[in-house]
Amino acid sequence: MSHYINLALKALAKSIGFVKEREVLWLLIFIVIFSAPLRMYNLNTHPPGLFGDEAADGLDALSIISGDRPLFLTENNGREPLHAYLVALSTNLLGRTPAAVRLPSALASTLTILALFLATKAITGTRIALIASIISGFTVWPIMLARLATRPALLPLALSITLWVVIEAYKRNNNKLWVLAGLMLGISVYTYTPIRLLIIFPLLCLSALFIRQIRRRILLSTTYLFLSFVIIVSPFVIYTANNQEQVLGRTTGVSVIDLNDEPSEILNTTVSQTIAVFQMFSVPGKGDWNLRHNIPNRPVFDPIMTFVLVIGLIIAPKTLGKHKLVLIFSYSIIALLPTILSEEAPHFGRASGILPILFIFPALGLSWIHKQLKQLTENFISIVISSAIVGGSILITIHDYYLDEYLVQPTTGFWFDEQCTIAAIDINKFIGAGWQGDNAGNANIAYQRTDKMVFIAPNVCPQYSSSGYYTIQFLVPMYLGSTPPFQRYSIDRLPNHNALANNLLFLGIPGDEDILIPWLEADYNISIQDGPWTPPDKLGNSWLVYRSLYATSK
């Protein structure tokens, strides 16, 4: 670990000090290589379990593999489809495993470091872009987006690329780049719901440029962007027009604003939500509380990086200039609206649209610190001190995230449906197919009909619970239905013995064995194993989730 830390500090020193153009690529590659393991190490087991929302995209991926081509995913409250298509590619490669579902998010978060560098370089310059890339590479928020296999990880990548292409198209007055910008903006619509608000930003920018007497040039550019955007997005728009309740229902369902409320009530709600969201960046205990998005309540920036962030915000007007600053702050407000206006604020998933520009400000602060130190002391010392600031922040992230083993804590596993994942592994080991935990077994081995049957109690990963139910459905290569070989059982209506296979597995509620054993013992040899336990609650109580009963015919 110390060897890698030394390498990281050397890269920090080079990026904060003078950087020659030929070194930029190597530094960027180093940043990606060093930060990628935080996102991609042991995706099958870190975090343990496969959360139901992740598994839901896995199930949609299986439908895509079988030939479906959805424009919108209607299950699980409705979702944009691009992530599921990417999961289909990785599932084809890795089989029905947690790693297959998480790989697209992990790759997207890793590539965002590169895309963020390009966008930041276009806005500010190479040095600020490198520093911003380092900070983004070792911030918990984007790392957690990488390890949760849902749509939010795709949005920062798509938006960073779009911002970069738009800026370059404007700078170069290049029509091909304007076409590419429209294509990227259209692709973004298929990533994650907040993009529907973020589309407002390019419209505002183009309108501002038009007002500033650049009419002829911007009119032609806008035409190229608009036409390419329409080509990509029109299928989704047509689908939305014909299925408004499906596409728009989720957005209205999580909104905290009710237009029927009194104006004063709406204002109070908006103000309190806004305060909560802005506190998430640096106020201890005010970050996202959801264990799947964040180390609970941890702010985006640790104390060291908060100090640098404040300096960056103070000097931003002079460093960036009025016009850039207005555009960046306008983008930031629009990007934060999805979490300001919705439940569970602050919500790191819904706020993920701000990531492409967020790290500009701490990067400005660190660059300013280096310049001030350089005037007071030798260049080498100024580089060492500046590097130590970011290095200290990196060490805090690694400590909080890995050395404290946050990803494998029992509570984290519980929030990622670890108990239902263990149930799926037990079933797969019994039937001899599918993923069997960690890297064991061949996940691509399909179930072959044998003389085995699996029964699962109604309250074990129940169907009315979207989470555990989807986890079982994706990881077990059999359909959980009403017919053999994999079905729910009712303790009041057990099947006839002549309908049973020679080898049985029951995942039952503790206590069901008191009925199952007398019912089976005349014809079967029986063994029982305890399944997983829930993590202790605040009172120290824990519960056995299910008990496995294995029966082999005599």
Side-chain angles (χ1 to χ4, degrees):
M1 178 65 75
S2 60
H3 171 68
Y4 290 112
I5 292 173
N6 289 332
L7 289 175
L9 292 176
K10 288 180 181 178
L12 285 170
K14 287 187 176 182
S15 61
I16 292 168
F18 177 72
V19 180
K20 297 179 180 179
E21 287 297 325
R22 66 175 180 271
E23 296 178 321
V24 171
L25 178 60
W26 292 109
L27 284 170
L28 195 57
I29 290 173
F30 180 90
I31 293 167
V32 171
I33 290 174
F34 191 68
S35 57
L38 294 171
R39 291 157 168 77
M40 303 188 70
Y41 171 74
N42 265 4
L43 289 176
N44 268 332
T45 57
H46 291 64
L50 182 69
F51 177 50
D53 283 0
E54 299 178 290
D57 267 19
L59 290 172
D60 287 317
L62 295 178
S63 297
I64 291 169
I65 292 171
S66 67
D68 290 346
R69 296 295 179 264
L71 286 169
F72 188 76
L73 307 173
T74 57
E75 293 294 322
N76 200 29
N77 297 314
R79 287 155 294 128
E80 289 76 13
L82 181 57
H83 182 258
Y85 278 95
L86 296 175
V87 172
L89 294 176
S90 58
T91 301
N92 250 338
L93 178 66
L94 301 176
R96 293 162 73 155
T97 64
V101 184
R102 290 169 180 161
L103 183 60
S105 294
L107 288 175
S109 180
T110 304
L111 292 174
T112 299
I113 299 171
L114 298 173
L116 184 146
F117 167 81
L118 294 172
T120 307
K121 182 176 182 291
I123 297 170
T124 58
T126 301
R127 179 181 297 176
I128 299 300
L130 281 171
I131 298 172
S133 298
I134 292 171
I135 297 170
S136 71
F138 297 93
T139 298
V140 170
W141 182 0
I143 293 172
M144 280 303 292
L145 285 181
R147 290 190 171 272
L148 177 64
T150 52
R151 298 162 293 153
L154 300 184
L155 186 60
L157 175 61
L159 288 175
S160 296
I161 296 174
T162 303
L163 282 173
W164 169 56
V165 176
V166 166
I167 295 170
E168 290 299 319
Y170 176 72
K171 286 180 178 180
R172 301 181 189 184
N173 192 24
N174 187 307
N175 291 332
K176 291 182 180 178
L177 288 177
W178 280 115
V179 171
L180 180 58
L183 295 176
M184 281 305 308
L185 188 60
I187 290 171
S188 300
V189 172
Y190 295 88
T191 58
Y192 187 40
T193 309
I195 188 61
R196 301 174 196 175
L197 270 174
L198 281 161
I199 287 176
I200 296 172
F201 179 72
L203 297 177
L204 291 175
C205 292
L206 294 173
S207 300
L209 290 172
F210 190 80
I211 292 170
R212 290 186 62 204
Q213 308 299 319
I214 318 177
R215 296 189 178 112
R216 182 176 178 182
R217 174 184 166 188
I218 204 63
L219 182 61
L220 182 60
S221 302
T222 303
T223 302
Y224 282 113
L225 184 146
F226 178 76
L227 289 177
S228 57
F229 172 74
V230 167
I231 289 171
I232 298 297
V233 83
S234 56
F236 187 81
V237 172
I238 294 170
Y239 181 90
T240 300
N242 294 325
N243 303 273
Q244 294 185 34
E245 186 174 345
Q246 288 181 0
V247 178
L248 304 177
R250 173 66 173 172
T251 304
T252 56
V254 299
S255 174
V256 294
I257 303 297
D258 188 341
L259 296 179
N260 296 320
D261 290 340
E262 293 294 326
S264 59
E265 188 175 351
I266 294 175
L267 178 62
N268 290 336
T269 300
T270 304
V271 169
S272 63
Q273 289 277 110
T274 302
I275 292 172
V277 169
F278 276 91
Q279 286 178 328
M280 77 181 189
F281 293 103
S282 57
V283 178
K286 297 297 183 178
D288 192 332
W289 56 268
N290 192 316
L291 278 84
R292 293 183 287 267
H293 305 158
N294 186 31
I295 299 173
N297 301 313
R298 188 187 194 273
V300 176
F301 296 114
D302 57 69
I304 294 176
M305 200 50 60
T306 294
F307 171 72
V308 176
L309 171 69
V310 171
I311 293 176
L313 290 170
I314 293 172
I315 68 168
K318 182 178 179 180
T319 307
L320 294 175
K322 179 177 65 176
H323 298 301
K324 283 184 181 179
L325 191 63
V326 168
L327 289 174
I328 290 173
F329 276 132
S330 299
Y331 178 92
S332 300
I333 294 298
I334 296 171
L336 291 174
L337 282 177
T339 185
I340 290 174
L341 300 177
S342 65
E343 299 171 343
E344 302 177 2
H347 190 289
F348 278 5
R350 295 169 193 153
S352 60
I354 200 176
L355 289 175
I357 56 91
L358 174 62
F359 302 103
I360 290 176
F361 296 104
L364 288 173
L366 188 65
S367 180
W368 182 86
I369 290 172
H370 170 253
K371 289 179 182 177
Q372 299 306 308
L373 290 171
K374 192 175 179 181
Q375 294 176 6
L376 299 173
T377 184
E378 295 181 8
N379 185 46
F380 173 77
I381 296 176
S382 67
I383 290 175
V384 169
I385 295 174
S386 303
S387 301
I389 291 173
V390 185
S393 179
I394 290 173
L395 290 176
I396 290 173
T397 295
I398 293 174
H399 174 272
D400 292 350
Y401 200 70
Y402 266 105
L403 299 185
D404 277 354
E405 297 187 322
Y406 164 73
L407 286 175
V408 293
Q409 290 175 6
T411 305
T412 305
F414 182 76
W415 276 64
F416 276 87
D417 292 317
E418 182 181 14
Q419 285 75 24
C420 291
T421 305
I422 294 172
I425 293 171
D426 287 346
I427 294 169
N428 288 346
K429 287 180 178 179
F430 176 73
I431 64 175
W435 180 66
Q436 298 175 23
D438 198 5
N439 297 312
N442 187 341
N444 287 311
I445 295 179
Y447 171 71
Q448 302 293 324
R449 289 193 174 274
T450 59
D451 198 16
K452 294 181 179 180
M453 295 174 65
V454 178
F455 296 89
I456 184 168
N459 290 328
V460 174
C461 307
Q463 187 164 353
Y464 57 78
S465 169
S466 63
S467 54
Y469 176 70
Y470 288 149
T471 302
I472 290 280
Q473 286 286 71
F474 175 72
L475 291 177
V476 176
M478 296 191 297
Y479 178 71
L480 176 54
S482 58
T483 57
F486 186 25
Q487 60 181 293
R488 299 281 186 188
Y489 73 85
S490 172
I491 202 70
D492 299 322
R493 295 189 303 275
L494 295 170
N496 293 325
H497 278 210
N498 56 14
L500 299 177
N502 289 328
N503 297 280
L504 309 175
L505 168 61
F506 289 82
L507 300 187
I509 297 296
D512 280 3
E513 70 274 7
D514 294 338
I515 296 175
L516 293 173
I517 290 175
W519 172 64
L520 289 169
E521 62 185 355
D523 299 318
Y524 290 87
N525 296 314
I526 299 167
S527 63
I528 295 178
Q529 296 180 11
D530 282 353
W533 291 72
T534 63
D537 61 16
K538 293 181 179 179
L539 298 177
N541 298 315
S542 185
W543 289 269
L544 182 63
V545 178
Y546 65 84
R547 187 164 277 147
S548 300
L549 186 151
Y550 294 88
T552 305
S553 61
K554 294 181 178 179

